[in-house]
Amino acid sequence: MFSPSSRPSLASDAPIGIFDSGIGGLTVAHAMAQAMPGESLLYFGDTAHMPYGDRSPELVRTYSVRIAQYLREEGCKAIVIACNSASAAATDAVREVAGEDIPVMDVVQPVVEYLAERGVARVGVIGTRATVGSGIYGRSLAEARARREGDAASLHPTVEWPTPLLAPLIEEGWHDHALMEPVIASYLTAAGWLGDGMGAIDALVLGCTHYPLADEVFRRVVGPHVELVDGPGIVAKAVSKALDSRGLRRSDSLPRHQFLVSDLTENFKRSAERFFGEEIPLQPGGPWFKG
Ligand code: DGL
């Protein structure tokens, strides 16, 4: 663990700051820990203010900016916005706070680049109301395709559909509960991708950091022919590449992770282990903590 007094002086030895509205971003943190085993992570989950997915863009931006300031003050060498809702509302504002020297990555752009690079035509996206309401995936994917292919870019519009019940169910530990399958099927049918719409999409983006926990249920519902896009894995690779290109990778030492939340309850502790895939020392802390 590190504290401001023990803050590493070398930029590459500094932790990667990563934040989410709560504990869903731990799926991204876990993928990053696997992809970059030598890197230290400073994770902050804003459990006191979640869910961001039901908040206004202005409020999500206000919270995100405060968190970015905190991660900067803690000496983080990069900031990863591990929340789709915050990525949609606050990436530009976080970049402004971070300044030129601290790279900022969100969870939307790497997925968009992945889809554009592979020429995936018909894409469906599910996420919170905040993410879907922003239209960020459709807009960014159209831009990325146009950059790569110009006039030949796919004309297929990206369909984005809000699935607000899923994050609370998964948070409750119901990611593999019998209820998940009919709830997911109802949403995907309403979006036009099941039933009569079967075969309407080539890829389904799980545009919320909670959803990968229920990937087996998604797979059963969509069948074998729809690609489920693995956001955390794609984001972890993109972060690793971005750090490499700036000479900020550290790989030869034992990582020191820190996991902070703005409100710590027994339930968050239990859920955090599920999201990270192993036991983690979740502690109260962060920008609003007066401990
Ligand atoms: N982590 C959020 C996201 O990826 C979902 C949870 C919330 O609404 O705060 O959008």
Side-chain angles (χ1 to χ4, degrees), residues 47-135:
T47 47
H49 298 127
M50 68 180 293
Y52 282 8
D54 292 331
R55 310 267 182 234
S56 67
E58 292 75 22
L59 191 59
V60 172
R61 210 171 296 130
T62 302
Y63 293 148
S64 301
V65 162
R66 182 65 195 96
I67 296 165
Q69 280 163 346
Y70 170 78
L71 294 175
R72 193 189 159 95
E73 283 157 19
E74 290 298 303
C76 293
K77 66 181 175 187
I79 295 177
V80 178
I81 308 175
C83 171
N84 285 265
S85 308
S87 296
T91 300
D92 289 346
V94 168
R95 287 218 164 99
E96 217 166 286
V97 170
E100 298 257 301
D101 51 327
I102 301 178
V104 173
M105 278 142 289
D106 68 13
V107 284
V108 173
Q109 207 54 41
V111 168
V112 160
E113 292 299 337
Y114 168 88
L115 292 166
E117 189 181 322
R118 297 177 67 248
V120 182
R122 299 170 309 163
V123 176
V125 180
I126 53 172
T128 65
R129 285 197 182 93
T131 301
V132 168
S134 75

Side-chain angles (χ1 to χ4, degrees), residues 27 83 209 229:
T27 56
C83 171
T209 47
V229 181

